[in-house]
C-alpha cells in the first residue's frame, strides 16, 4: 500500500529539513522524500499548507499501568491516548504490579501493545529487583526481551553503590540508566514544593535540593564510570545547573522536562482552585524562577527531551484530601498543544528544536529506530496543526484517566493525524483537513 | 448626641468559614461585634436563645479534641440548634470510608452546617466543593483554625480595646501551626505589628511575605510587646531533628517571668492550648496575672456562636414591629 | 413627609403615659421599664426620667435585644443577618411588674419575641406594654396597655420614629413606601 503525502511543511531535524516536501510511503516504510514526487499509483494525500509533518513524536516517560493497575490505564488505552496526542511511540515505566524486572512482564507488555496496534511501546526495565534497590535485575534478560533502558522510577536507585553498578553494567549494552532524582530523607512527607505557597496552605514541602542533590550524585557517578544517566522529569533550577556542569565535564548525561514544569508553578496550589489534586505530582510544581530556568534550558539546548511523565490515576483516587491523593497527572493528550502555546508562539524555540525535543533526541537517547523521516525509516509520522484552536476537554480523553491540570484551557496548536508504520492510527475530527489522512 | 455603634456591614457573604484568608477586615469586625452580644447570653440564668432552632449541625471531628468540640457544641446548643457529634478516623491504616463518601452520606440527611476538624490541610475545601451544607473549619491540618484566631482577637480587643498598632509576638512551633497561620492573617488584616519567633527549623518558608517580622531571637520579638502568644511545640507532628531537646527549646525560647520583663508591663499572655508546661511556657507565666489563657477558652463559645449565627443565614433586616 | 408628632407633642404624650402608669399601678416599687432596642430603650429611659420627676423615686430601666427571638430568622437560605446587640437588664425581673416599651406597635411579632426573651430572664409578676405609636394591622392577639397616639395606616405606608438620642431630632412621620 503506497501513500504520498504531498505538500505540507516537513520539519525533520535529523536530516536538516524544514520546508515543503513530499513523502512517499511504501508499506510500513518511507520510500522517498523529495520535491514534486510523482504519485505513481500511490494514494495521494494533499497535506494542507498549514499542517506540519514531522518524524513520529516519542514520549519516553509514560506510565501505562499494565500489568496490575488497569483501573488507572491499560496498554490499549494508554497507546490510544498517545496517538491522540500525536505520539507514534512511548517508552513505558516499570513501576507496574508486578514490577517489570523480568522478561515475563516485558513480553506481556509488548504483547498487549501489539494487540492494541496503535503506538509503538518500548518498555523500560527495572534497575533492581522489585525496584527495592538491593539487587540488580537480570538486565541482559530484560534487554533481550525488548527493554531499551533501565530505571527504578517512582524511586531513586537506592544507594550510590547500586547506581554505580547499574551504570557500569548497563553501559555494556549501551543502555542509559533513567533516574528519578530524589533524596528520600529530604523529601520526607512532603507533598508540594517547599516554599511560600505550600507554607500558606499548610502543606509539607519538598525542597528543590532534594532533586538536585541526587542528580549531582548520579552525574558524578556517570562521569566516573563512563555510563549514561538520563535525568527524568527535571524541575529544579539547581538540577539544571548540575546537568550543565556535568555536560561541560564530559559526563554522559541527558535530561528531560515535562510540560507542566515549564508551564505551571506552585502558585497553582491555591489558584484557581485551592488544594487541587490535579496540581499534585512528584517532583512538584516549583517556583516561577525554576519554571523560567526550565524554559531557558529548553531554549539553549541544555535540556534534551520533553517527556510528559503521563501518570494516570483513577478519578476516585484523586478525589481526596491533598495529602492523601497520589502524585501524578496525565500528559499525552495535552503535550503538543502546551508546547505550541508555551514554546513556539512566544518564540522560546523554533519548530525544529521542538521536534528535536519530542522526537529526534528521545529516539537517540534510547537508541531506537525512530525520530527521523529518512528514506528507509519506519513510516512513523506525526501531522501537527499549529493553528488549530483547542479547548482541553478531559471528558473526551482517550486515556482512562482525567487527572489533568489543563482542563478547560484554550490553546492554539494541536494534532491533526498520527501515522504508525504507514498506517493512519488517529485522525482529529476537529482539525479541518485532517480527514484527508483517514485510512 | 451619639449615634449607636453599627458594624459597617451586616452580613457575611459566605456559605462557609474555611479560613481567615477568605474574610475581609470588615467581616472580621462583624464577627467580633456579634460575639459581644452573644457573650451576654452566657451570663443569663437561661443560657439559650431560639435563633438556630430547628437547624441541624454536625460536628465532624477526625482529630480528637475535647476543648474545641465542646466549645462548638455549647455554642450550638445555646443557639437552640440540634447537634450531632461524629468522631471519625483519619488513619490511612483504617481503610474505611473516604472523606468524600462520609460527607456525601451525611449530606443525604440534610444537615444545615458541618463543623469539620481534620488532620489534613484543605480537607474543608474539598468538603465545601461537594456539600451544600455550610462548612466551618475547626482546624484543618497545618492550614487554618479560624475560630481560634477570632477568639484570640476578641480576647485581645477586650483587654487592649483595639488590634491596630499593637505589637503581637507569636513564639513556638510556627511551621506546623494552623493557629499561627490564622492569627497572622487576622492580625495583619486588622493592622497589628506582628512578630514571629522560633528556631529556623520551625520557621515557615516565606512567612515575611505575609507582612510579619521574623526573628530567631525571642527576646527581640517580645521587646515592648503588648501581646505574647505562645504556641504549643507540637511533639506529635514533628518528624525528627527540628531541635535537639525540649530542655534546649525551653532554654532558648521558653517564656519565663524573667524573659517577660522585656515586654510591656501590661502585656497579656495567650496560648491556644493545650500547654506543654516547662517547654514553651513556664507555669508561673501560664498561671500568672498577665495570663488570659482561660478567658480565651470562655470567649471561644461566644465567638463560635457569632460565627454559627452569621453563617446560618437569616431574613432581610425588617422594619415591621 | 407628614409629621404626625413633633417634639412637643411627643414630650406631652410621654408625660401623659407616665401619669396613666401611676394611675393604673398603685405603687412603682416593684415596677421596672424594659425598652426594646433600638428606640424602645431610649423611650424607656425618657419615661423613667419623667416617672422619677413625678414620684421622686428611682425607676429601674433595662434594654432588650430581641433579634435572636424573631420568628423571621432563618427564613431565607442566605441573607444578611440583623445585627445582634447586647441585652442589658441589670436587675432580677422575678416578681416584678415589667413595662415593655417600644416605639411602634404594628404586627405584634416584635412584642411576641420580647415576651419570649423576657421569660428566659425570669418570671415577672406582670408584663404591661407601652408604645409610642399604634399603627394597627395586628397579626397576633397583642394589645398595648398605654399608647402615645393611635395612627391608622395603610399597609403601603411606613411609620418613622426619630429620637434625639439616636437620630438627632424628635419626630414621628408617616410616609408612602417607595
Amino acid at each position: 500500500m503506497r501513500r504520498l503525502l504531498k505538500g505540507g511543511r516537513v520539519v525533520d531535524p535529523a536530516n536538516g529539513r524544514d520546508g515543503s516536501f513530499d513523502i512517499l510511503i511504501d508499506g510500513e516504510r518511507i520510500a522517498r522524500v523529495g520535491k514534486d514526487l510523482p504519485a505513481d499509483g500511490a494514494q495521494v494525500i494533499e497535506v494542507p499548507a498549514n499542517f506540519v509533518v514531522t518524524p513520529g513524536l516519542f514520549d519516553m516517560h509514560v506510565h501505562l499501568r499494565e500489568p496490575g493497575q488497569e483501573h488507572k490505564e491499560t496498554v490499549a488505552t494508554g497507546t490510544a491516548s498517545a496517538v491522540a496526542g500525536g505520539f507514534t511511540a512511548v517508552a513505558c515505566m516499570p513501576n507496574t504490579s508486578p514490577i517489570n524486572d523480568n522478561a515475563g512482564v516485558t513480553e506481556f507488555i509488548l504483547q498487549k501493545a501489539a494487540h492494541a496496534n496503535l503506538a509503538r511501546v518500548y518498555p523500560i526495565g527495572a534497575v533492581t529487583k522489585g525496584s527495592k534497590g538491593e539487587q540488580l535485575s537480570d538486565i541482559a534478560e530484560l534487554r533481550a526481551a525488548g527493554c531499551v533502558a533501565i530505571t527504578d522510577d517512582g524511586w531513586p536507585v537506592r544507594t550510590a553503590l547500586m547506581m554505580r553498578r547499574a551504570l557500569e553494567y548497563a553501559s555494556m549494552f549501551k543502555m542509559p540508566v533513567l533516574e528519578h532524582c530524589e533524596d528520600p530523607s529530604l523529601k520526607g512527607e512532603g507533598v508540594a514544593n517547599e516554599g511560600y505557597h505550600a507554607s500558606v496552605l499548610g502543606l509539607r514541602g519538598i525542597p528543590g535540593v532534594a532533586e538536585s542533590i541526587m542528580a549531582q550524585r548520579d552525574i558524578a557517578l556517570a562521569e566516573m564510570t563512563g555510563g549514561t544517566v538520563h535525568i527524568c522529569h527535571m524541575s529544579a533550577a539547581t538540577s539544571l545547573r548540575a546537568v550543565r556542569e556535568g555536560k561541560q565535564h564530559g559526563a554522559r548525561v541527558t535530561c528531560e522536562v515535562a510540560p507542566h514544569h515549564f508551564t505551571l508553578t506552585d502558585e497553582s496550589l491555591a489558584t484557581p482552585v485551592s488544594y487541587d489534586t490535579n496540581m499534585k505530582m512528584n517532583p512538584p510544581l516549583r517556583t516561577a524562577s525554576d519554571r523560567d530556568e526550565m524554559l531557558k534550558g529548553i531554549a539553549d539546548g541544555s535540556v534534551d527531551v520533553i517527556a510528559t511523565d503521563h501518570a494516570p490515576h483513577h478519578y476516585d483516587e484523586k478525589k481526596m484530601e491533598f495529602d492523601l491523593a497520589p502524585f501524578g497527572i496525565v500528559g499525552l493528550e495535552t503535550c503538543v498543544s502546551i508546547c505550541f502555546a508555551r514554546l513556539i508562539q512566544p518564540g522560546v524555540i523554533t519548530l525544529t528544536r521542538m521536534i528535536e525535543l519530542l522526537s529526534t533526541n528521545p529516539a537517540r537517547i534510547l537508541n531506537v529506530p525512530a525520530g527521523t523521516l529518512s528514506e528507509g525509516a519506519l513510516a512513523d509520522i506525526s501531522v501537527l496543526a499549529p493553528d488549530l484552536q483547542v479547548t482541553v476537554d478531559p471528558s473526551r480523553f482517550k486515556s482512562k484517566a482525567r487527572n489533568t491540570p489543563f482542563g478547560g484551557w484554550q490553546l492554539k496548536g494541536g494534532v491533526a493525524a498520527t501515522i504508525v508504520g504507514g498506517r493512519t492510527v488517529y485522525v482529529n475530527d476537529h482539525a479541518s483537513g485532517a480527514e484527508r489522512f483517514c485510512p | 448626641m451619639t449615634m449607636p455603634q453599627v458594624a459597617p456591614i451586616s452580613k457575611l457573604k459566605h456559605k462557609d468559614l474555611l479560613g481567615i484568608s477568605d474574610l475581609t477586615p470588615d467581616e472580621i469586625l462583624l464577627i467580633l461585634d456579634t460575639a459581644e452580644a452573644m457573650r451576654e447570653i452566657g451570663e443569663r440564668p437561661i443560657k439559650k436563645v431560639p435563633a438556630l432552632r430547628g437547624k441541624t449541625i454536625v460536628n465532624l471531628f477526625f482529630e480528637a479534641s475535647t476543648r474545641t468540640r465542646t466549645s462548638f457544641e455549647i455554642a450550638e446548643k445555646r443557639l437552640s440548634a440540634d447537634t450531632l457529634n461524629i468522631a471519625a478516623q483519619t488513619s490511612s491504616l483504617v481503610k474505611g470510608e473516604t472523606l468524600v463518601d462520609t460527607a456525601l452520606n451525611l449530606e443525604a440527611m440534610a444537615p444545615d452546617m458541618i463543623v469539620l476538624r481534620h488532620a489534613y490541610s484543605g480537607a474543608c475545601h474539598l468538603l465545601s466543593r461537594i456539600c451544600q451544607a455550610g462548612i466551618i473549619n475547626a482546624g484543618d491540618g497545618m492550614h487554618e483554625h479560624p475560630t481560634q484566631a477570632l477568639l484570640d482577637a476578641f480576647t485581645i480587643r477586650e483587654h487592649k480595646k483595639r488590634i491596630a498598632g499593637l505589637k503581637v509576638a507569636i513564639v513556638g512551633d510556627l511551621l506546623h501551626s494552623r493557629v499561627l497561620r490564622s492569627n497572622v492573617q487576622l492580625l495583619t488584616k486588622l493592622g497589628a505589628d506582628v512578630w514571629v519567633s522560633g528556631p529556623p527549623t520551625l520557621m515557615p518558608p516565606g512567612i515575611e511575605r505575609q507582612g510579619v517580622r521574623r526573628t530567631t531571637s525571642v527576646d527581640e520579638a517580645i521587646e515592648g510587646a503588648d501581646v505574647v502568644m505562645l504556641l504549643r511545640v507540637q511533639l506529635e507532628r514533628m518528624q525528627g531533628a527540628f531541635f535537639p531537646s525540649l530542655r534546649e527549646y525551653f532554654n532558648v525560647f521558653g517564656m519565663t517571668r524573667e524573659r517577660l520583663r522585656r515586654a510591656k508591663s501590661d502585656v497579656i499572655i495567650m496560648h491556644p492550648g493545650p500547654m506543654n508546661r516547662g517547654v514553651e511556657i513556664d507555669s508561673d507565666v501560664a498561671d500568672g496575672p498577665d495570663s488570659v489563657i482561660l478567658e480565651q477558652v470562655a470567649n471561644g463559645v461566644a465567638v463560635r456562636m457569632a460565627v454559627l449565627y452569621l453563617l446560618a443565614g437569616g431574613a432581610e433586616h425588617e422594619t415591621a414591629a | 413627609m407628614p409629621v404626625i408628632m413633633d417634639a412637643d407633642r411627643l414630650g406631652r404624650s410621654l408625660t401623659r403615659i407616665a401619669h396613666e402608669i401611676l394611675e393604673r399601678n398603685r405603687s412603682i416599687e416593684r415596677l421596672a421599664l424594659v425598652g426594646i432596642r433600638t428606640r424602645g430603650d431610649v423611650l424607656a429611659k425618657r419615661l423613667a426620667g419623667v416617672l422619677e420627676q413625678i414620684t421622686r423615686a428611682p425607676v429601674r430601666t433595662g434594654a432588650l435585644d430581641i433579634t435572636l427571638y424573631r420568628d423571621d430568622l432563618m427564613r431565607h437560605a442566605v441573607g444578611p443577618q440583623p445585627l445582634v446587640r447586647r441585652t442589658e437588664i441589670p436587675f432580677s425581673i422575678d416578681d416584678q411588674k415589667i413595662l415593655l416599651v417600644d416605639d411602634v406597635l404594628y404586627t405584634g411579632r416584635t412584642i411576641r419575641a420580647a415576651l419570649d426573651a423576657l421569660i428566659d430572664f425570669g418570671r415577672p409578676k406582670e408584663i404591661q406594654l407601652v408604645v409610642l405609636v399604634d399603627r394597627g394591622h395586628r397579626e397576633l392577639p397583642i394589645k398595648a396597655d398605654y399608647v402615645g397616639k393611635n395612627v391608622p395606616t395603610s399597609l403601603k405606608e411606613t411609620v418613622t420614629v426619630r429620637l434625639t438620642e439616636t437620630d438627632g431630632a424628635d419626630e414621628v412621620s408617616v410616609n408612602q413606601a417607595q
Side-chain angles (χ1 to χ4, degrees):
Chain A
M1 157 76 167
R2 286 150 57 90
R3 302 163 98 195
L4 179 63
L5 303 183
K6 202 155 185 54
R9 179 180 169 194
V10 171
V11 176
D12 180 8
N15 287 305
R17 284 200 179 100
D18 180 353
S20 175
F21 290 90
D22 298 345
I23 299 176
L24 179 65
I25 301 170
D26 191 345
E28 58 168 20
R29 293 199 176 263
I30 296 173
R32 275 191 71 189
V33 180
K35 299 228 183 234
D36 300 313
L37 298 181
D40 249 358
Q43 176 206 8
V44 177
I45 298 174
E46 298 279 351
V47 180
N50 57 342
F51 282 9
V52 179
V53 177
T54 76
L57 306 182
F58 182 4
D59 190 340
M60 65 179 279
H61 194 137
V62 170
H63 294 269
L64 293 179
R65 305 297 193 203
E66 197 174 8
Q69 295 161 3
E70 292 83 358
H71 59 291
K72 299 180 202 255
E73 190 87 285
T74 61
V75 174
T77 58
T79 50
S81 180
V83 299
F87 292 94
T88 57
V90 299
C92 64
M93 291 297 163
N95 60 336
T96 45
S97 187
I99 301 255
N100 184 9
D101 61 7
N102 64 79
V105 177
T106 306
E107 281 162 13
F108 174 84
I109 293 171
L110 287 169
Q111 262 175 39
K112 289 285 183 182
H115 185 76
N117 205 13
L118 295 166
R120 294 187 204 280
V121 175
Y122 294 100
I124 299 179
V127 175
T128 60
K129 291 210 163 61
S131 282
K132 290 205 172 89
E134 289 159 3
Q135 204 192 346
L136 287 177
S137 312
D138 287 355
I139 294 171
E141 175 188 295
L142 284 170
R143 175 161 151 88
C147 287
V148 297
I150 50 174
T151 185
D152 273 345
D153 185 45
W155 307 272
V157 174
R158 174 147 346 146
T159 59
L161 177 63
M162 191 57 70
M163 185 61 174
R164 172 198 175 153
R165 297 280 181 252
L167 283 164
E168 288 170 331
Y169 194 82
S171 71
M172 178 165 62
F173 308 106
K174 301 212 175 349
M175 279 167 86
V177 178
L178 274 53
E179 175 81 322
H180 168 116
C181 296
E182 175 180 277
D183 179 289
S185 69
L186 287 177
K187 180 196 172 221
E189 300 211 328
V191 295
N193 180 45
E194 182 174 299
Y196 170 74
H197 293 286
S199 176
V200 168
L201 292 180
L203 295 172
R204 288 188 169 79
I206 307 172
V209 78
E211 177 186 287
S212 59
I213 212 174
M214 197 56 99
Q216 285 171 341
R217 176 194 88 168
D218 296 332
I219 294 169
L221 289 170
E223 193 181 336
M224 178 197 114
T225 60
T228 307
V229 69
H230 174 83
I231 311 293
C232 291
H233 45 53
M234 187 174 62
S235 66
T238 42
S239 306
L240 184 54
R241 197 199 319 155
V243 168
R244 285 194 178 112
E245 275 170 25
K247 285 181 176 179
Q248 259 171 21
H249 290 108
R252 288 198 170 86
V253 53
T254 54
C255 63
E256 75 194 28
V257 175
H260 47 277
H261 286 123
F262 64 72
T263 307
L264 300 168
T265 67
D266 55 358
E267 213 181 319
S268 297
L269 291 169
T271 355
V273 175
S274 44
Y275 301 98
D276 185 353
T277 54
N278 285 328
M279 299 295 167
K280 181 178 180 182
M281 76 289 292
N282 192 22
L285 298 172
R286 304 269 184 205
T287 64
S289 72
D290 288 305
R291 188 258 322 261
D292 294 340
E293 280 300 308
M294 294 304 119
L295 286 167
K296 281 204 196 115
I298 286 170
D300 71 19
S302 319
V303 172
D304 305 278
V305 170
I306 292 175
T308 64
D309 195 4
H310 176 87
H313 288 292
H314 193 275
Y315 179 72
D316 287 340
E317 294 168 310
K318 278 293 206 175
K319 204 173 183 193
M320 289 269 163
E321 300 90 303
F322 198 90
D323 281 271
L324 294 181
F327 291 101
I329 56 171
V330 291
L332 286 167
E333 294 172 77
T334 48
C335 179
V336 164
S337 299
I338 295 284
C339 286
F340 272 119
R342 292 306 167 108
L343 300 175
I344 302 294
Q345 280 144 30
V348 177
I349 57 174
T350 61
L351 208 38
T352 300
R353 171 87 180 122
M354 178 171 134
I355 304 307
E356 276 173 13
L357 290 159
L358 287 171
S359 180
T360 331
N361 290 350
R364 180 173 47 81
I365 289 168
L366 292 179
N367 217 355
V368 300
T372 79
L373 291 175
S374 311
E375 291 176 358
L378 286 166
D380 290 348
I381 300 171
S382 301
V383 183
L384 307 179
D387 301 322
L388 182 66
Q389 291 293 113
V390 170
T391 303
V392 178
D393 182 358
S395 70
R396 310 189 65 198
F397 280 173
K398 298 281 193 287
S399 164
K400 267 195 183 181
R402 304 275 171 267
N403 50 322
T404 176
F406 303 117
W409 282 39
Q410 315 255 39
L411 301 164
K412 193 167 90 141
V415 177
T418 313
I419 296 170
V420 175
R423 191 174 48 97
T424 303
V425 292
Y426 172 73
V427 168
N428 184 351
D429 308 321
H430 298 285
S432 114
E435 65 282 354
R436 301 179 191 178
F437 291 87
C438 282
Chain B
M1 239 151 286
T2 49
M3 294 301 172
Q5 279 280 52
V6 186
I9 56 160
S10 66
K11 65 175 174 172
L12 288 185
K13 290 193 275 308
H14 308 273
K15 165 177 89 81
D16 313 301
L17 178 61
L18 303 180
I20 304 290
S21 47
D22 302 322
L23 296 177
T24 65
D26 279 347
E27 288 171 326
I28 295 170
L29 289 173
L30 174 64
I31 295 172
L32 297 181
D33 290 341
T34 307
E36 276 286 351
M38 294 298 182
R39 186 172 36 180
E40 177 268 315
I41 296 168
E43 291 157 15
R44 304 179 185 180
I46 298 189
K47 301 174 182 37
K48 218 186 228 317
V49 292
L52 294 190
R53 195 170 65 93
K55 297 283 179 183
T56 305
I57 303 182
V58 177
N59 297 325
L60 185 55
F61 275 57
F62 285 82
E63 262 186 347
S65 156
T66 325
R67 185 189 317 243
T68 306
R69 212 210 65 218
T70 317
S71 183
F72 266 105
E73 200 180 336
I74 292 178
E76 290 150 15
K77 289 184 152 117
R78 287 206 177 147
L79 293 171
S80 298
D82 294 326
T83 70
L84 203 60
N85 291 311
I86 302 183
Q89 298 246 33
T90 310
S91 168
S92 54
L93 295 171
V94 181
K95 290 280 179 198
E97 239 180 359
T98 60
L99 174 61
V100 170
D101 276 337
T102 305
L104 290 174
N105 275 289
L106 216 50
E107 265 258 298
M109 297 182 270
D112 297 283
M113 311 202 74
I114 300 175
V115 176
L116 178 70
R117 166 167 283 195
H118 199 279
Y120 292 124
S121 306
C124 49
H125 292 70
L126 181 57
L127 232 56
S128 141
R129 288 196 272 273
I130 60 179
C131 287
Q132 301 275 37
I135 311 291
I136 296 183
N137 183 5
D140 66 326
M142 308 188 319
H143 177 233
E144 283 223 40
H145 192 354
T147 56
Q148 179 70 43
L150 286 162
L151 73 87
D152 288 342
F154 186 85
T155 309
I156 294 173
R157 208 166 77 146
E158 246 211 305
H159 283 270
K160 305 289 178 182
K161 305 300 175 230
R162 64 195 164 118
I163 308 271
L166 294 180
K167 180 173 180 184
V168 180
I170 309 180
V171 185
D173 176 357
L174 307 170
L175 181 61
H176 299 99
S177 171
R178 53 189 171 218
V179 173
L180 170 86
R181 286 174 175 82
S182 289
N183 266 300
V184 162
Q185 291 272 346
L186 191 152
L187 294 168
T188 53
K189 278 181 179 174
L190 294 188
D193 176 25
V194 181
W195 288 66
V196 301
S197 180
T201 47
L202 290 175
M203 192 65 74
I207 187 81
E208 60 284 346
R209 276 171 69 171
Q210 297 196 269
V212 308
R213 306 283 299 273
R214 60 177 268 181
T215 171
T216 53
S217 158
V218 65
D219 290 334
E220 190 190 351
I222 66 171
E223 185 71 47
D226 298 284
V227 178
V228 172
M229 195 181 291
L230 278 344
L231 295 179
R232 181 183 161 83
V233 171
Q234 295 176 326
L235 306 163
E236 71 271 11
R237 287 224 173 93
M238 276 182 302
Q239 253 100 60
F242 287 100
F243 52 75
S245 64
L246 296 180
R247 187 166 145 269
E248 175 137 318
Y249 181 88
F250 180 71
N251 289 338
V252 181
F253 291 97
M255 199 51 54
T256 58
R257 194 114 296 277
E258 188 61 40
R259 181 158 260 159
L260 217 42
R261 293 219 194 112
R262 293 173 169 267
K264 286 216 177 95
S265 56
D266 62 349
V267 67
I268 55 173
I269 306 297
M270 304 179 68
H271 194 303
M275 294 187 280
N276 284 322
R277 289 166 182 270
V279 181
E280 68 265 8
I281 188 171
D282 211 2
S283 274
D284 66 354
V285 171
D287 305 326
D290 308 318
S291 164
V292 300
I293 295 172
L294 293 175
E295 284 174 47
Q296 288 173 269
V297 178
N299 292 333
V301 176
V303 167
R304 287 168 176 132
M305 286 172 74
V307 168
L308 288 162
Y309 172 72
L310 288 166
L311 283 180
E316 295 292 319
H317 200 73
E318 67 157 46
T319 50
Chain C
M1 275 228 304
V3 175
I4 54 157
M5 226 189 215
D6 61 11
D8 177 56
R9 175 74 204 270
L10 203 151
R12 284 187 284 117
S13 294
L14 286 181
T15 309
R16 192 248 310 150
I17 289 173
H19 283 283
E20 280 183 18
I21 291 171
L22 289 169
E23 183 187 36
R24 197 171 131 171
N25 297 284
R26 242 171 288 132
S27 108
I28 59 148
E29 236 176 62
R30 293 247 188 103
L31 191 142
L33 299 175
V34 173
I36 300 175
R37 291 203 196 270
T38 46
R39 287 184 183 82
D41 54 345
V42 172
L43 288 171
K45 280 207 162 61
R46 283 212 208 166
L47 198 48
V50 177
L51 284 168
E52 281 172 0
Q53 253 186 355
I54 302 173
T55 65
R56 303 212 189 286
V59 175
R60 293 161 300 164
T61 62
L64 185 65
D65 185 277
I66 54 99
T67 315
L68 298 171
Y69 290 84
R70 290 167 57 150
D71 65 5
D72 58 350
L73 280 182
M74 315 305 161
R75 291 255 123 201
H76 308 293
V78 187
Q81 288 291 55
L83 194 61
V84 184
R85 293 189 177 79
R86 279 184 73 99
T87 289
E88 283 163 43
I89 304 183
F91 48 85
S92 166
I93 64 169
D94 287 339
D95 244 12
Q96 307 292 303
K97 270 195 206 168
I98 300 295
L99 265 61
L100 266 181
V101 183
D102 204 7
D103 55 346
V104 179
L105 177 58
Y106 182 21
T107 60
R109 292 186 189 274
T110 299
I111 306 304
R112 197 266 336 143
L115 291 174
D116 265 357
L118 218 45
I119 301 290
D120 274 353
F121 277 87
R123 192 175 190 281
K125 180 153 187 261
E126 194 185 326
I127 301 177
Q128 297 170 9
L129 178 60
V130 179
V131 298
L132 187 62
V133 171
D134 181 346
R135 66 168 289 199
H137 299 292
R138 215 75 75 234
E139 290 172 5
L140 298 173
I142 299 225
K143 112 180 170 354
D145 298 289
Y146 312 91
V147 182
K149 185 174 167 70
N150 278 297
V151 182
T153 58
S154 83
L155 286 169
K156 286 193 285 226
E157 291 171 313
T158 61
V159 175
T160 309
V161 173
R162 295 173 63 211
L163 300 173
T164 312
E165 295 91 321
T166 52
D167 314 280
D170 281 351
E171 183 182 87
V172 182
S173 55
V174 178
N175 310 294
Q176 293 296 326
Q178 294 319 93

